Amino acid sequence: MSLSSVHSTDTGSRRRRPAEPTEGANCNPCEESWEEIQNKKTITAENEVEANKLANNYRFGFRKWKSHVTARPFEDRSEVVKELYTELNVIKQHPDPDHLITFGNIVYVFLFGWWISFAYVLVGMLMFITVIGIPYGKFCWKLCCYFLWPFGSLIYEVGNASSRCCERAPNCECSTDPLEDASPLLLPSSSDQELLAPPPRTPYWCRVSTYVWLLLGYPLLAVIHSLACFISWIMVFTIPVAKVNAQTLGVILLKPPEDVFVFSSAQRKRKGSGIKALLYCYRASNWYYYKYTVDGINVFAVNLLLLVIVALVIGYTDTKNDYVTSEVKFAIAIGSIIPLSYYIGMGIASISAQSNFAVGAIVNATFGSITELTFYITALLRGHRAANPCLQEVVKATLTGTLLGCILFLPGICMIIGGLRHSEQRFSSRCTGVSSALLFISVGGVFAPTLFSKAYGNLVCDACTNTSSGNSSGPFICHNCHYDLINGTLYHDHIQPLVYTVSVLLPVAYIIGLIFTLKTHSHIYDISVGDGQGGGHHGTVVHWSRWRSLVILIIATVLMSLCADLATEHIQPILNQPNISQYFIGVTVLAMVSEIPEMVNGIQFALQNNISLSLEVGSCIAVQVCMIQIPLLVLFNAVFDVGFVLLFSDLHLWASIFSVILVNYIFMDGKSDYFQGTALVVVYFILIALYYFAPAGC
């Protein structure tokens, strides 16, 4: 829920006259200072689908890592990105042999090259032993040398005429230099058309040697290439190695051996006939593969799905912790939240981009907080069934940690990174005042019952003991800490009605904020389709359709609930550690893991000199926690009675109030730099230190 300006800083426009206001807008340029008007720039979308996504999603938050739900035209991408998607059978250049000796290529030899080549040696020997498979044995020997150092060499397929010619005379002139052409398929020259037709040969699938190869040689190499492909794909930056192994396994090893040749970069031959390039690679790694996507999904999100599978397998099969400890299961389950939150965000953004605002608002309100609410509800249910109040305190600590992280750490780190790159960044302090006001209302409403209980009740503990006998410097453990509410009368007659009242007023304030930005002051959002872009959906390729997004959204939500159940099941051994407070676990790990996509988005906006959107990332999450998530938890408790009491400890109370006051003070001047960001981050770590040294209570 972003309720402030989406205009970004444009330092290059200071000498230009301000643009005329958009037709139909309700704003009066005279109401703002000249400096504020100069530093505004309308966000321009590439097409109407992206504009619809911006209009819908920026009002509710940034729940995904990438900025596009539609496929960008390939011709509009940079040359660096184009290279990532280039097929390995396309040869664009003949690199200098000296340029092939790179750090990544050398590392390839030690990580992959030597054992893949050794596997080909063994399989080649096996084929020679069978006698029938001798052609495949020779084939393996050729590929053995290739995979030890494949860079700059070409594996290509020749037609029947050229193949038979080369078999009779390996140094014949019908070979070609494929590196002289940029096409994957090189056409035959006129002189080669005079070649005599080759004698007939046995079809590939009618040979005994083919089946000997498929039964003995190919399965062994399939295991080797699959393993190399998996490892190199998981490493992301070595995806070219994964492509080489996949191409070899799926194409080259299934070709007749007499039709496949290896062309070394040192060889130069006359242009000839009927040559088809199969595999060409000149680098083993590329640092830009972090931008690589599969059907619109970032490669890291694809790879991290492995964590979800591992978490579910070990969590629901090894129930007695015979092979994996609870601590490891908890870490894997928490880590699996990262990719699932990405898919949930991608589904929300895709549906919103292809729908009107009403549908987008419903989807955002329903699934926007599903990641956090799934964990909270699961923890409350498990704590209620086990009569363990510690999990309720963990939920409250996680809520507070999300507030502190989004109010202090997230904008702070964005200010630091943006300030180091752009020196000073500007944003409209008038527009950020909308989010600031909502932030004050949110925090004030959430902690109102706590302030009320402090006036009429006391937080007491049964006992606080020193775990180190005879050593006064040892850690203290407090047992059964609770609010003394005069035998429950104060809570049931006064505090509980106050909690319900606040839980109704906060969503009302949320709705009023939406009306303010969407209707009466809609000029705050000025999103238009860029020049030269096609209107409507025509020519726009959407990665995920509405139905596909909905299915993925539901599946990711179910998987999220399973992983959250595992996390809450195996968190207790960590909470039992005498040196770790449940407060610290909640405000750090549990609070920030699910917000990693938002952190990545905020940093990207800051690097693009769009600090206003970076600040919106943190503000919209904090407001969403107070105005949506907490009222929903109160509603859930009213229906199922899991013992959730909206009363926070003093540490939660004063840390949150201090953070809101500090961040609003820093936002007053409408400027940001790395020093202000450093101040926010330092204060955040000071508060985290308070939680770390707090006495353990579970």
Side-chain angles (χ1 to χ4, degrees), residues 6-29:
V6 296
H7 295 88
S8 61
T9 304
D10 185 6
T11 55
S13 64
R14 295 181 181 177
R15 295 185 180 180
R16 297 195 300 266
R17 297 289 298 176
E20 294 296 328
T22 305
E23 183 178 357
N26 299 326
C27 65
N28 183 3

Side-chain angles (χ1 to χ4, degrees), residues 95-117:
D96 189 340
D98 293 337
H99 294 165
L100 299 176
I101 304 176
T102 63
F103 176 77
N105 292 355
I106 295 175
V107 171
Y108 162 86
V109 176
F110 293 97
L111 290 182
F112 302 100
W114 69 271
W115 56 274
I116 296 178
S117 297

Side-chain angles (χ1 to χ4, degrees), residues 89-273:
N89 62 345
V90 176
I91 308 164
K92 293 186 177 181
Q93 58 182 347
H94 181 67
D96 189 340
D98 293 337
H99 294 165
L100 299 176
I101 304 176
T102 63
F103 176 77
N105 292 355
I106 295 175
V107 171
Y108 162 86
V109 176
F110 293 97
L111 290 182
F112 302 100
W114 69 271
W115 56 274
I116 296 178
S117 297
F118 184 67
Y120 271 97
V121 171
L122 296 180
V123 173
M125 294 174 60
L126 178 62
M127 291 294 101
F128 275 109
I129 293 175
T130 63
V131 179
I132 298 177
I134 288 179
Y136 287 97
K138 297 178 180 179
F139 182 50
C140 290
W141 280 95
K142 291 189 295 185
L143 294 182
C144 165
C145 299
Y146 174 83
F147 278 102
L148 184 62
W149 185 266
F151 312 110
S153 298
L154 171 70
I155 296 180
Y156 61 96
E157 179 185 15
V158 299
N160 290 343
S162 299
S163 174
R164 303 305 297 175
C165 174
C166 293
E167 287 178 359
R168 296 191 298 267
N171 295 323
C172 68
E173 293 297 321
C174 67
S175 297
T176 186
D177 182 3
L179 299 179
E180 294 179 0
D181 201 308
S183 172
L185 182 62
L186 303 181
L187 300 178
S189 62
S190 57
S191 61
D192 292 315
Q193 303 298 329
E194 301 174 0
L195 290 173
L196 297 177
R201 59 177 180 174
T202 306
Y204 177 71
W205 294 106
C206 296
R207 307 176 190 175
V208 178
S209 60
T210 298
Y211 296 96
V212 172
W213 165 252
L214 294 178
L215 291 176
L216 298 180
Y218 184 81
L220 298 177
L221 293 177
V223 174
I224 295 298
H225 283 295
S226 298
L227 180 61
C229 184
F230 174 78
I231 296 175
S232 56
W233 181 273
I234 290 296
M235 296 172 65
V236 175
F237 302 107
T238 55
I239 286 181
V241 178
K243 292 182 176 181
V244 168
N245 285 273
Q247 180 75 359
T248 302
L249 182 61
V251 177
I252 295 175
L253 295 183
L254 298 177
K255 294 285 185 181
E258 66 273 13
D259 290 348
V260 179
F261 295 87
V262 178
F263 182 88
S264 172
S265 59
Q267 296 174 318
R268 307 295 294 179
K269 298 184 179 181
R270 186 180 66 84
K271 189 174 177 91
S273 83

Side-chain angles (χ1 to χ4, degrees), residues 174-404:
C174 67
S175 297
T176 186
D177 182 3
L179 299 179
E180 294 179 0
D181 201 308
S183 172
L185 182 62
L186 303 181
L187 300 178
S189 62
S190 57
S191 61
D192 292 315
Q193 303 298 329
E194 301 174 0
L195 290 173
L196 297 177
R201 59 177 180 174
T202 306
Y204 177 71
W205 294 106
C206 296
R207 307 176 190 175
V208 178
S209 60
T210 298
Y211 296 96
V212 172
W213 165 252
L214 294 178
L215 291 176
L216 298 180
Y218 184 81
L220 298 177
L221 293 177
V223 174
I224 295 298
H225 283 295
S226 298
L227 180 61
C229 184
F230 174 78
I231 296 175
S232 56
W233 181 273
I234 290 296
M235 296 172 65
V236 175
F237 302 107
T238 55
I239 286 181
V241 178
K243 292 182 176 181
V244 168
N245 285 273
Q247 180 75 359
T248 302
L249 182 61
V251 177
I252 295 175
L253 295 183
L254 298 177
K255 294 285 185 181
E258 66 273 13
D259 290 348
V260 179
F261 295 87
V262 178
F263 182 88
S264 172
S265 59
Q267 296 174 318
R268 307 295 294 179
K269 298 184 179 181
R270 186 180 66 84
K271 189 174 177 91
S273 83
I275 303 298
K276 180 180 180 181
L278 297 177
L279 182 60
Y280 177 76
C281 178
Y282 68 94
R283 63 195 306 180
S285 62
N286 189 336
W287 297 112
Y288 289 97
Y289 264 100
Y290 71 90
K291 299 182 177 181
Y292 194 76
T293 60
V294 180
D295 197 16
I297 306 172
N298 185 271
V299 63
F300 285 103
V302 175
N303 291 349
L304 286 175
L305 281 179
L306 182 64
L307 279 180
V308 181
I309 299 174
V310 172
L312 296 178
V313 171
I314 66 175
Y316 290 102
T317 57
D318 184 23
T319 56
K320 297 182 179 180
N321 298 337
D322 295 330
Y323 304 101
V324 182
T325 63
S326 291
E327 290 81 356
V328 175
K329 291 181 180 178
F330 171 76
I332 297 177
I334 288 296
S336 64
I337 293 177
I338 299 175
L340 291 177
S341 64
Y342 173 91
Y343 284 91
I344 290 174
M346 182 75 169
I348 293 173
S350 298
I351 294 176
S352 298
Q354 303 172 73
S355 308
N356 56 32
F357 173 73
V359 175
I362 294 174
V363 172
N364 274 281
T366 305
F367 293 96
S369 300
I370 197 67
T371 301
E372 297 84 352
L373 287 175
T374 301
F375 175 80
Y376 300 152
I377 293 175
T378 304
L380 291 174
L381 288 173
R382 185 173 293 277
H384 180 67
R385 289 194 297 263
N388 182 8
C390 186
L391 289 179
Q392 182 182 153
E393 293 302 319
V394 170
V395 170
K396 295 177 184 177
T398 305
L399 290 168
T400 307
T402 304
L403 286 177
L404 298 180

Side-chain angles (χ1 to χ4, degrees), residues 63-108:
R63 315 298 291 183
K64 55 197 293 296
W65 284 337
K66 64 188 297 296
S67 58
H68 290 81
V69 296
T70 58
R72 300 175 63 186
F74 189 75
E75 58 273 10
D76 295 341
R77 310 296 293 271
S78 65
E79 293 299 325
V80 172
V81 175
K82 288 181 180 178
E83 184 180 355
L84 304 181
Y85 299 94
T86 301
E87 297 293 335
L88 293 183
N89 62 345
V90 176
I91 308 164
K92 293 186 177 181
Q93 58 182 347
H94 181 67
D96 189 340
D98 293 337
H99 294 165
L100 299 176
I101 304 176
T102 63
F103 176 77
N105 292 355
I106 295 175
V107 171
Y108 162 86

